[in-house]
Amino acid sequence: MGLKLYLLFFSVLILTIFAYFTNKKQLIAPSFLFSFPFLISSFVAMLYEKKWLLQLSNNVYWLIVLSIFLFIIISWVISLIIPKSVDNFDGMDRYLKINEYSIEVANYKKIIIIVIELLTFIVVIRSLKSITGMGDLSSAIDAYRLRNVFSDSPLPLPLIASMLWRFSYAATFFFGYQLVKEKVIYKKWDKLIFIIVLLGFGISFLQGNRTSTINLLISMFIFYYILNIKKDHRNKNIIYIFIGLFVGILVLSTFQYIATLFGRSEVSGVDPGAYLAEYLGAEIANLDYFVKTYPFPTCPTFLHSVTFANMASTINSILGINFLNPTKKLLIFRVVNGYDMGNVYTTFMPWLADWGYKVVPLFIIVQASISEIIYQKISIPKVRI
């Protein structure tokens, strides 16, 4: 096994532990959340080093390690500048009366949301079948995904379908918080809210993108974590880690099955372990390949950059027309030694492709600053260790 991968794993492990303790053992602190995925990726990359023919370069090692270190330092400095607005409480009973817990939605409004979600299902499904010419829903979803991921001429949903999907998806985050709050704070389930969230998860699948669903799951776990910490101020990280791992393993184990439901027949015969490794560790291997072989930077304009391609595509989707002409994403799918490596390249790849190494510190500072400021405003009380 290559020494650099060992070194990368233990370097990231040290940085992750440092981020954990400098943030008073808070699992949702931005610097911990930034470093922890690289810890998992580097571990999986070690396991598959020979199968992936991976020989990590010095550039990638220092890129990852120094970026994590910079993110941690910037987050720490921001935490000193902007103290939490809530430091401690005389009692939880008094705190629960704060207005942030009294967000209530009348039942008739919940029913309206459910009706809108059902309408979203109908309109989006009909639109997908219409614009792709596919009568089968799975085939229509896969055709829509392929056209928008790989084609130079994306196929946006009609404006009304796009707006309904975005409204329903956004509403799921709000009512996901409501659902978790009802359980954590009031120890009860609201059936209407549960239906809204369940429908919202179904709607998140309609565009063939599992990332939308994963974002919902992550957000609900974060809601659960924050509300529990606010409720009793005690450190229960072992429980939260167990819950997070259980849910994570459960979700990841369904990836391959969900892909087949979306019409991706090519993944049906793939080894499940290798399929999961593609998502958990291939990012580092692919980034290493990109740095070694791709001619960068290209120095494009702002709206024609790979970095901001999603922003331009989102604007087009909202407007229902190709108002902007974003640069096509660098979707370099790789197969190495018979193993599918996918097209995941970490957050660094588009930055490097557009403007090179010189902008990485700038984007890290921006990311760390924004995320840490938002985190501080959440006002999680200090945990009693």
Side-chain angles (χ1 to χ4, degrees):
M1 183 179 289
L3 178 62
K4 285 193 183 70
L5 271 176
Y6 267 119
L7 187 60
L8 176 65
F9 173 73
F10 286 105
S11 298
V12 176
L13 176 61
I14 292 171
L15 289 171
T16 303
I17 294 173
F18 179 66
Y20 180 68
F21 284 101
T22 55
N23 286 284
K24 300 180 176 64
K25 302 182 181 181
Q26 294 290 352
L27 295 179
I28 62 169
S31 57
F32 178 78
L33 291 179
F34 185 81
S35 57
F36 186 68
F38 283 104
L39 180 64
I40 296 176
S41 294
S42 59
F43 177 74
V44 175
M46 281 198 308
L47 297 180
Y48 278 80
E49 177 193 15
K50 291 183 179 179
K51 295 179 180 179
W52 290 345
L53 307 178
L54 175 57
Q55 294 181 337
L56 192 71
S57 65
N58 287 327
N59 285 358
V60 171
Y61 170 81
W62 287 112
L63 174 65
I64 294 174
V65 171
L66 292 180
S67 295
I68 294 174
F69 179 73
L70 178 60
F71 197 108
I72 294 172
I73 295 302
I74 295 300
S75 296
W76 177 71
V77 171
I78 295 295
S79 71
L80 297 178
I81 297 174
I82 308 177
K84 294 181 176 66
S85 59
V86 179
D87 219 21
N88 212 331
F89 303 101
D90 295 329
M92 195 59 202
D93 290 338
R94 178 172 64 83
Y95 181 62
L96 289 178
K97 296 177 182 178
I98 295 178
N99 287 335
E100 67 176 288
Y101 283 98
S102 62
I103 303 174
E104 299 295 338
V105 180
N107 283 338
Y108 80 90
K109 294 180 180 179
K110 298 172 189 174
I111 293 173
I112 292 175
I113 297 296
I114 292 174
V115 172
I116 293 176
E117 287 184 317
L118 293 174
L119 180 63
T120 300
F121 267 108
I122 296 172
V123 173
V124 172
I125 290 174
R126 292 188 63 179
S127 297
L128 286 172
K129 291 181 177 181
S130 175
I131 62 178
T132 61
M134 300 287 184
D136 176 67
L137 179 59
S138 295
S139 300
I141 290 175
D142 190 47
Y144 175 79
R145 180 188 67 86
L146 291 173
R147 177 69 179 270
N148 285 280
V149 170
F150 299 105
S151 174
D152 290 324
S153 303
L155 192 66
L157 285 172
L159 180 58
I160 183 63
S162 175
M163 296 302 291
L164 281 171
W165 188 92
R166 292 179 184 281
F167 174 84
S168 297
Y169 182 62
T172 309
F173 283 95
F174 174 79
F175 284 100
Y177 167 78
Q178 292 286 84
L179 185 68
V180 174
K181 181 197 70 174
E182 292 288 322
K183 179 60 177 177
V184 173
I185 305 301
Y186 304 119
K187 304 296 182 183
K188 64 179 183 179
W189 290 105
D190 186 304
K191 294 180 181 179
L192 290 176
I193 293 179
F194 179 77
I195 293 172
I196 290 173
V197 173
L198 189 63
L199 289 173
F201 271 94
I203 289 169
S204 70
F205 282 118
L206 287 180
Q207 296 195 36
N209 185 350
R210 290 165 296 184
T211 304
S212 300
T213 308
I214 293 172
N215 288 339
L216 287 173
L217 288 171
I218 292 174
S219 69
M220 291 185 68
F221 175 78
I222 291 175
F223 296 152
Y224 177 81
Y225 179 82
I226 292 173
L227 290 171
N228 270 286
I229 289 294
K230 284 188 173 184
K231 183 179 179 182
D232 57 24
H233 302 189
R234 289 181 295 174
N235 190 314
K236 297 180 180 178
N237 283 348
I238 297 298
I239 297 176
Y240 301 133
I241 291 173
F242 176 79
I243 294 174
L245 288 174
F246 175 77
V247 174
I249 293 172
L250 183 64
V251 172
L252 289 174
S253 65
T254 65
F255 259 37
Q256 198 167 1
Y257 174 71
I258 293 174
T260 59
L261 288 180
F262 287 162
R264 304 185 197 180
S265 57
E266 69 275 6
V267 306
S268 58
V270 178
D271 175 67
Y275 188 76
L276 291 181
E278 173 190 335
Y279 289 92
L280 294 177
E283 296 92 341
I284 290 178
N286 288 343
L287 178 64
D288 186 71
Y289 168 80
F290 175 83
V291 167
K292 290 176 179 176
T293 63
Y294 194 84
F296 66 88
T298 58
C299 300
T301 59
F302 178 82
L303 286 176
H304 289 81
S305 63
V306 180
T307 302
F308 297 100
N310 284 336
M311 180 186 296
S313 297
T314 299
I315 294 174
N316 286 343
S317 178
I318 292 174
L319 296 177
I321 57 175
N322 289 323
F323 178 72
L324 298 173
N325 185 27
T327 298
K328 184 182 178 181
K329 301 175 186 177
L330 295 177
L331 298 168
I332 309 172
F333 278 82
R334 300 179 62 220
V335 176
V336 177
N337 197 26
Y339 290 90
D340 188 354
M341 305 293 287
N343 68 327
V344 283
Y345 286 80
T346 79
T347 188
F348 302 118
M349 186 272 279
W351 305 347
L352 297 177
D354 291 331
W355 300 292
Y357 290 106
K358 62 180 178 293
V359 302
V360 173
L362 173 62
F363 281 124
I364 289 293
I365 291 172
V366 172
Q367 276 193 352
S369 300
I370 293 175
S371 57
E372 185 66 27
I373 289 171
I374 294 173
Y375 170 70
Q376 294 294 340
K377 293 303 180 181
I378 292 175
S379 303
I380 301 178
K382 291 181 179 178
V383 179
R384 296 179 189 145
I385 307 300

